[in-house]
């Protein structure tokens, strides 16, 4: 295969594995390539023949099995990483279920994960806290690609926390025993690839009631959050917990905070900026990363803000 053919195959693979809509796949490009380069078809057939499989029987049996199966509310999506590894997640099919939007992966989570892969040094050998982790996409990408020392996932909804823990296990991490809403996890390591394991934690964190003392025990060097600024009602509590995190940081230690947001409603986003200003937090918009890794909707803009405490 030449470069164009290989790129097209990769695009189809990435879209398929993360369950993008059939219509979003690059069918026109494929049709053009098939018309102009019949050898592409032969290359696909030769690649398939190498597997020794008989496609028709296998495919029709699989299709019949799917058609005859009961409806489900959950699907599994795989997100391919540049390293050749992948993050696989159990996600709900419905955008809103169990009274929350936290059981699906949103665009800003993918956007920040891509940015993190291009900015590994921000996370390498550091202690990371993620606010509103949802089902874990961003954190799992960082843990697999950016080599943090410790990573703490946090959320408040019980169903989201349950599915988050399941996804951590699904990606090769072993959960330890729970102690006061803290699940300590140590990744199973391959000595040929990893010098040491990253320590993961899953905690239940209520932004309204969390105290500076409680937050200080997390000892975060970096705090991230994605797609949490979608409802005006939670903007204030989110801004307040960010300020508490800055104020709870020990003397002589710096804290870096990054918030990725999909701008669906400009009024809500402006309110977030205003609330940050009132909380004494300075913000700046970071430049976009260079390379797209994942397939997701880009119809709404996404921004990453870097926050600092005003002195």
């Amino acid at each position: 295969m030449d470069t164009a053919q290989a790129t097209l195959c990769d695009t189809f693979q990435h879209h398929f594995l993360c369950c993008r809509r059939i219509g979003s796949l690059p069918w026109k490009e494929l049709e053009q390539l098939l018309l102009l380069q019949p050898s592409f078809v032969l290359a696909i057939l030769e690649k398939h023949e190498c597997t020794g499989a008989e496609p028709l029987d296998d495919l029709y049996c699989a299709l019949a099995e799917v058609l005859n199966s009961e409806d489900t509310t959950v699907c599994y999506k795989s997100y391919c990483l540049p390293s050749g590894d992948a993050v696989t997640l159990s996600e709900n099919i419905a955008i809103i279920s169990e009274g929350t939007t936290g059981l699906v992966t949103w665009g800003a989570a993918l956007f920040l994960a891509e940015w993190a892969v291009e900015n590994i040094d921000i996370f390498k050998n550091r202690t990371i806290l993620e606010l509103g982790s949802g089902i874990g996409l961003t954190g799992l990408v960082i843990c697999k690609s950016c080599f943090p020392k410790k990573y703490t996932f946090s959320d408040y909804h019980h169903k989201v926390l349950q599915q988050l823990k399941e996804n951590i296990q699904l990606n090769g991490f072993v959960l330890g025993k729970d102690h006061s809403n803290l699940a300590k996890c140590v990744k199973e390591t391959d000595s040929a690839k990893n010098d040491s394991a990253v320590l993961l934690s899953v905690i239940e964190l209520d932004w309204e009631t969390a105290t500076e003392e409680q937050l200080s025990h997390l000892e975060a060097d970096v705090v991230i959050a994605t797609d949490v600024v979608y409802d005006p009602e939670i903007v204030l509590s989110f801004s307040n917990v960010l300020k508490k995190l800055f104020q709870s940081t020990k003397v002589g230690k710096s804290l870096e905070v990054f918030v990725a947001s999909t701008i669906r409603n400009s009024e809500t986003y402006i309110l977030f900026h205003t609330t940050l200003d009132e909380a004494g937090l300075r913000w700046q918009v970071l430049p976009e990363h260079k390379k797209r890794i994942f397939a997701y909707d880009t119809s709404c803009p996404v921004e990453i803000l870097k926050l600092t405490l005003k002195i």
Side-chain angles (χ1 to χ4, degrees), residues 13-296:
Q13 180 189 43
H14 289 181
H15 278 63
F16 176 78
L17 287 175
C18 64
C19 299
R20 297 293 296 168
R21 294 182 180 276
I22 294 297
S24 72
L25 272 66
W27 297 109
K28 290 183 179 179
E29 291 85 347
L30 176 61
E31 182 180 7
Q32 184 179 15
L33 196 58
L34 293 176
L35 289 173
L36 297 177
Q37 301 184 40
S39 61
F40 183 56
V41 182
L42 293 175
I44 293 175
L45 291 174
E46 289 173 1
K47 199 172 184 67
H48 187 270
E49 287 173 0
C50 291
T51 68
E54 297 180 3
L56 291 179
D57 288 343
D58 291 344
L59 290 173
Y60 278 116
C61 286
L63 178 61
E65 186 177 334
V66 171
L67 292 175
N68 291 326
S69 65
E70 297 181 357
D71 290 339
T72 179
T73 59
V74 177
C75 65
Y76 287 87
K77 298 184 180 182
S78 293
Y79 301 87
C80 298
L81 302 175
S83 63
D85 201 350
V87 169
T88 299
L89 300 177
S90 168
E91 303 192 15
N92 276 35
I93 294 173
I95 293 176
I96 301 176
S97 56
E98 304 285 345
T100 179
T101 59
L103 295 170
V104 297
T105 297
W106 293 92
L110 294 159
F111 190 90
L112 185 59
E114 291 176 333
W115 178 83
V117 171
E118 288 191 7
N119 294 274
I120 291 176
D121 288 343
I122 291 175
F123 305 96
K124 189 174 182 180
N125 296 323
R126 305 187 78 188
T127 298
I128 318 300
L129 168 64
E130 183 178 4
L131 301 174
S133 299
I135 53 176
L137 182 279
T138 306
L140 287 169
V141 170
I142 290 174
C143 288
K144 288 193 172 191
S145 302
C146 302
F147 317 107
K149 179 175 67 176
K150 181 178 179 181
Y151 197 100
T152 301
F153 296 85
S154 72
D155 213 291
Y156 184 63
H157 195 280
H158 71 280
K159 182 63 178 177
V160 174
L161 289 167
Q162 177 185 334
Q163 198 152 324
L164 171 60
K165 293 176 184 179
E166 291 174 1
N167 282 333
I168 289 171
Q169 292 176 311
L170 187 62
N171 284 273
F173 293 86
V174 179
L175 285 168
K177 295 179 181 180
D178 283 348
H179 297 288
S180 303
N181 294 328
L182 181 64
K184 292 187 177 180
C185 329
V186 180
K187 190 178 190 303
E188 294 179 328
T189 60
D190 181 340
S191 58
K193 295 182 180 179
N194 300 289
D195 294 326
S196 60
V198 55
L199 179 66
L200 280 78
S201 302
V202 178
I203 64 170
E204 180 182 329
L205 183 61
D206 184 348
W207 299 344
E208 295 281 355
T209 61
T211 65
E212 288 184 22
E213 182 181 0
Q214 291 171 330
L215 295 172
S216 68
H217 293 318
L218 298 174
E219 300 182 333
D221 300 313
V222 179
V223 173
I224 64 169
T226 66
D227 256 332
V228 295
V229 186
Y230 59 88
D231 184 348
E233 293 185 4
I234 65 173
V235 167
L236 181 59
S237 60
F238 178 58
S239 299
N240 285 340
V241 79
L242 290 176
K243 185 173 183 178
K244 289 177 185 177
L245 281 162
F246 276 111
Q247 293 176 333
S248 65
T249 302
K250 295 179 180 179
V251 177
K253 185 176 181 180
S254 62
L255 178 66
E256 294 187 89
V257 177
F258 304 95
V259 180
S261 304
T262 302
I263 307 173
R264 301 180 184 88
N265 184 308
S266 58
E267 291 183 2
T268 301
Y269 198 54
I270 291 171
L271 173 64
F272 177 48
H273 289 171
T274 302
T275 307
L276 290 175
D277 292 334
E278 292 174 350
L281 300 177
R282 184 181 291 107
W283 52 271
Q284 66 176 104
V285 180
L286 297 183
E288 287 192 24
H289 49 280
K290 298 176 182 178
K291 187 177 181 181
R292 283 279 300 275
I293 300 173
F294 308 113
Y296 54 94

